[in-house]
Amino acid sequence: MITIKHQSITVSSPATVANMVCGFDILGFALQAPYDIYTLTISNEKGIKIIQEDAFDLPANPEENVSGAALLAFLEAVPEIPGLILHSKKNIKPGSGIGSSAASAAGVVVAANHLINNYFPKEELVRFAMFGEKVASGVKHADNIAPAIYGGVTLIRSIFPLDIIPIQAPDLYVTIVHPQIEIRTADARQILKQNILLKDAIKQWGNIAGLVAGLIHHDYDLIGRSLEDVIIEPVRSILIPGFNEIKIKCKEAGALGGGISGSGPSIFMLSTTLQIANSVEQIMQEVYNQIGLAYNTYVTTINHEGVKILDSK
Amino acid sequence: MITIKHQSITVSSPATVANMVCGFDILGFALQAPYDIYTLTISNEKGIKIIQEDAFDLPANPEENVSGAALLAFLEAVPEIPGLILHSKKNIKPGSGIGSSAASAAGVVVAANHLINNYFPKEELVRFAMFGEKVASGVKHADNIAPAIYGGVTLIRSIFPLDIIPIQAPDLYVTIVHPQIEIRTADARQILKQNILLKDAIKQWGNIAGLVAGLIHHDYDLIGRSLEDVIIEPVRSILIPGFNEIKIKCKEAGALGGGISGSGPSIFMLSTTLQIANSVEQIMQEVYNQIGLAYNTYVTTINHEGVKILDSK
């Protein structure tokens, strides 16, 4: 039975990296930073009211808003809650390729579930949040939402039926650079070839198997050898200036490897130490300074927890 | 430094299953039965002399014989041994799809390495044995050799460069049926499409990631859900009478799943108990009795040890 336990919840909801090099559409992981802050309060007024406390000028109509759409799906399953007021403070820039919309969708459904004493299992929360992702990209994908909700590295073995498998991953450092260009997810999908060579697919699934085994066994060498994408990256990296130079130089500096975050334009690199992760950041900055492109960088770690409750009343 | 420790070694060399459903060309595992027996004795006469103690009538010329070719590659690296006499007693029928040639190649190189106090690491033995596989199929593949040498389930992440990763697998029961039809490996390769759909490849790598995680964590449900091949099996299973009926009925009887062993015609099914593995055998027998096709069946387990030393002098 659904019972209301809290009146108000504040959460942090993390950025995430989908399409983990060889793991296109199936592997993603959560980051410690950046993250959004959401406060959800039960209201007697029906429906969702969204109060935006950031400068991103996202749609305020719940049906067109990622958080709003996810919460509408949630409310439909929870008639015990008449309405919700959402205070939304996003730090993850939409369109950056590090799961901004997934953070919006995942954060609010985890918060809403906490109001009712975590009635729904995580997998059900992913389903609610996917209604939000559909507003953002037209597709109900889960490879950012799942790591945002579960934390760590998650495998989406299958979307229909939904089958999410948390992969125990080591404490890796992550360096992200977000060059200030826009790549629409729809465009990044469109340039992909619908047909691929069987021999390339075999290489790719060898690497995926190696990556999963490497993550579970904390075998850094194996993770590094497996972080290779012969199918998606060669096509999509063309859209990201400086990509190849950054990748080569970061690996020379000791990074295990990395690639395009989501559908870009952000690039991520994994490292075993903070020192290497900082060197990697410096390389990224130098490359974009030389190209003359504005950018943001982050040095962070894999977030094993996912959306985090900061306060409850 | 290479030193000769033994004058004569006898080994058993196991049958193996390559192409573990979704793991085409990358995953294989070793079986407890059937196995071949090889005795290798140092001789002062140069070269390889092969004495066959079975009825398979394989080529006796070392260059055309799978064991012979593997041993010639080995001898080239070990000038300390002038020549070898091989007594070969095969039980694994050539062409059955359960790694008969790999057993021939792997068994003799492990035996030869034991003569010199296991001078070479396992990966090097795989390289020698691949010369044997080349005689058998024209291709230097390793997905039967690696599990025969390492035991258990092995991942061939990459062939060039060779990268073999042992995957810790649970004690699963394996039921094998070998219908007495002939499928040449080269023919089975030829009917495969060179181009596949990206969306099918994504399904396949989701399943491979799930299978590897399931094996390592001994998660039988996940193993079962992941044992699905949307790319190779739909094409190749057409060559194997009764395939679909066997697969459906065995899963109904409680098998986790299974598929074509190697390039066929053998079919394998994995089960968690001996009782289920025996029911599965009965189903296989009934289907081929009804079709009117001769067959052999085996109920066995995953072999975690690989080629085994039986005797040394």
Side-chain angles (χ1 to χ4, degrees):
Chain A
M1 214 192 71
I2 295 178
T3 53
I4 293 169
K5 196 184 173 197
H6 297 287
Q7 290 300 313
S8 181
I9 301 285
T10 301
V11 300
S12 64
S13 189
T16 45
V17 171
N19 303 337
M20 201 173 171
V21 192
C22 48
F24 179 69
D25 262 8
I26 63 160
L27 286 175
F29 62 92
L31 300 172
Q32 284 295 352
Y35 52 82
D36 297 341
I37 303 283
Y38 299 101
T39 299
L40 206 55
T41 308
I42 293 178
S43 159
N44 285 326
E45 208 171 307
K46 271 195 174 296
I48 314 287
K49 190 182 174 188
I50 301 174
I51 299 160
Q52 298 184 86
E53 299 174 342
D54 51 52
F56 293 128
D57 199 26
L58 295 167
N61 174 5
E63 282 165 21
E64 297 164 34
N65 178 290
V66 172
S67 297
L71 286 175
L72 285 172
F74 180 89
L75 276 194
E76 207 164 303
V78 185
E80 290 81 354
I81 296 180
L84 289 164
I85 300 166
L86 171 66
H87 287 254
S88 169
K89 192 176 176 181
K90 286 191 73 63
N91 297 300
I92 310 166
K93 194 172 173 179
S96 53
I98 51 172
S100 179
S101 58
S104 298
V108 297
V109 297
V110 172
N113 196 39
H114 205 69
L115 294 171
I116 55 172
N117 203 17
N118 297 315
Y119 177 81
F120 294 109
K122 282 180 177 171
E123 197 179 289
E124 209 52 50
L125 299 184
V126 172
R127 284 181 220 277
F128 293 133
M130 282 164 79
F131 284 90
E133 277 290 41
K134 204 179 166 199
V135 167
S137 70
V139 184
K140 267 188 170 184
H141 69 96
D143 44 347
N144 289 99
I145 290 170
I149 290 177
Y150 285 73
V153 177
T154 56
L155 163 65
I156 318 286
R157 191 194 63 80
S158 155
I159 283 273
F160 305 109
L162 188 60
D163 191 1
I164 297 164
I165 295 127
I167 303 287
Q168 295 161 344
D171 291 322
L172 289 168
Y173 290 87
V174 190
T175 314
I176 306 262
V177 62
H178 172 207
Q180 306 288 307
I181 55 169
E182 199 187 335
I183 299 177
R184 293 195 325 142
T185 305
D187 293 345
R189 282 223 162 236
Q190 205 160 21
I191 65 163
L192 295 180
K193 294 168 192 141
Q194 293 312 302
N195 283 283
I196 62 171
L197 288 172
L198 175 61
K199 74 178 174 58
D200 287 341
I202 293 168
K203 264 192 204 172
Q204 194 90 345
W205 60 58
N207 283 322
I208 287 162
L211 180 56
V212 169
L215 288 169
I216 295 175
H217 291 312
H218 297 194
D219 180 337
Y220 299 112
D221 262 10
L222 177 54
I223 293 171
R225 296 200 302 279
S226 304
L227 284 171
E228 190 197 5
D229 173 4
V230 297
I231 292 174
I232 309 299
E233 185 180 290
V235 179
R236 280 194 172 168
S237 61
I238 296 163
L239 302 176
I240 305 172
F243 180 85
N244 287 331
E245 189 182 351
I246 283 177
K247 196 170 165 187
I248 291 166
K249 286 187 174 170
C250 291
K251 287 174 83 168
E252 280 170 2
L256 291 178
I260 304 167
S261 175
S263 51
S266 287
I267 303 169
F268 77 98
M269 285 285 149
L270 299 175
S271 304
T272 51
T273 68
L274 179 59
Q275 198 187 351
I276 297 172
N278 284 333
S279 308
V280 162
E281 183 187 32
Q282 210 178 329
I283 289 165
M284 290 168 165
Q285 291 169 340
E286 282 164 12
V287 169
Y288 282 119
N289 284 339
Q290 198 150 34
I291 292 174
L293 202 56
Y295 57 84
N296 288 323
T297 53
Y298 304 93
V299 175
T300 183
T301 55
I302 291 182
N303 167 349
H304 298 287
E305 196 178 5
V307 177
K308 191 174 163 184
I309 310 298
L310 300 182
D311 194 24
S312 57
K313 281 176 198 140
Chain B
M1 213 191 72
I2 295 178
T3 52
I4 293 170
K5 196 184 174 194
H6 298 286
Q7 290 300 313
S8 182
I9 302 285
T10 300
V11 300
S12 64
S13 189
T16 44
V17 171
N19 302 338
M20 198 173 175
V21 193
C22 49
F24 179 68
D25 262 8
I26 63 160
L27 286 174
F29 61 93
L31 299 171
Q32 284 294 352
Y35 52 82
D36 297 341
I37 303 282
Y38 299 102
T39 299
L40 207 55
T41 308
I42 293 178
S43 161
N44 287 325
E45 208 171 307
K46 271 196 172 295
I48 314 287
K49 190 181 173 187
I50 301 173
I51 299 161
Q52 297 184 87
E53 299 175 342
D54 52 51
F56 293 127
D57 199 27
L58 295 168
N61 173 3
E63 281 164 22
E64 297 164 33
N65 179 290
V66 173
S67 296
L71 286 175
L72 284 172
F74 180 88
L75 277 193
E76 207 163 303
V78 185
E80 290 81 355
I81 298 181
L84 290 164
I85 299 167
L86 171 66
H87 287 255
S88 168
K89 192 175 177 182
K90 285 192 72 62
N91 297 301
I92 310 166
K93 194 170 173 181
S96 53
I98 50 171
S100 179
S101 59
S104 299
V108 297
V109 297
V110 171
N113 195 40
H114 206 68
L115 293 172
I116 55 170
N117 203 17
N118 297 316
Y119 176 81
F120 293 109
K122 283 179 176 172
E123 199 179 287
E124 208 53 48
L125 299 183
V126 172
R127 284 181 220 276
F128 292 133
M130 283 165 79
F131 284 90
E133 277 291 40
K134 204 180 168 199
V135 168
S137 69
V139 183
K140 269 187 168 183
H141 68 97
D143 43 349
N144 289 99
I145 290 170
I149 290 178
Y150 285 73
V153 178
T154 56
L155 162 65
I156 318 287
R157 191 194 62 81
S158 155
I159 283 274
F160 305 109
L162 188 60
D163 191 2
I164 298 164
I165 295 129
I167 302 287
Q168 295 161 346
D171 291 321
L172 289 168
Y173 290 88
V174 190
T175 315
I176 305 262
V177 62
H178 173 208
Q180 306 289 307
I181 56 169
E182 199 188 335
I183 299 177
R184 292 195 324 141
T185 305
D187 293 346
R189 281 221 164 237
Q190 204 158 22
I191 65 164
L192 294 180
K193 294 170 191 138
Q194 294 311 302
N195 281 285
I196 62 172
L197 289 173
L198 175 60
K199 73 180 175 57
D200 288 340
I202 292 168
K203 267 192 201 171
Q204 194 89 345
W205 60 59
N207 283 322
I208 288 162
L211 181 55
V212 169
L215 289 168
I216 295 175
H217 290 312
H218 297 194
D219 180 338
Y220 299 113
D221 262 12
L222 177 55
I223 293 171
R225 296 200 303 280
S226 304
L227 283 172
E228 191 198 3
D229 173 3
V230 298
I231 293 174
I232 309 298
E233 186 180 290
V235 179
R236 281 195 171 167
S237 62
I238 296 163
L239 302 176
I240 305 172
F243 179 86
N244 287 332
E245 189 182 350
I246 284 178
K247 197 171 165 186
I248 291 165
K249 286 186 172 169
C250 291
K251 286 174 83 168
E252 280 170 5
L256 291 178
I260 304 167
S261 176
S263 52
S266 288
I267 303 170
F268 78 98
M269 284 285 151
L270 299 175
S271 304
T272 50
T273 70
L274 179 58
Q275 199 188 352
I276 297 172
N278 284 333
S279 308
V280 162
E281 182 186 32
Q282 211 178 327
I283 289 165
M284 290 169 165
Q285 291 168 339
E286 283 165 12
V287 169
Y288 282 119
N289 284 339
Q290 198 150 31
I291 292 174
L293 201 55
Y295 58 84
N296 288 322
T297 53
Y298 305 92
V299 175
T300 183
T301 55
I302 291 182
N303 167 349
H304 297 288
E305 198 178 3
V307 178
K308 191 174 163 182
I309 309 297
L310 301 181
D311 194 24
S312 56
K313 278 173 200 142

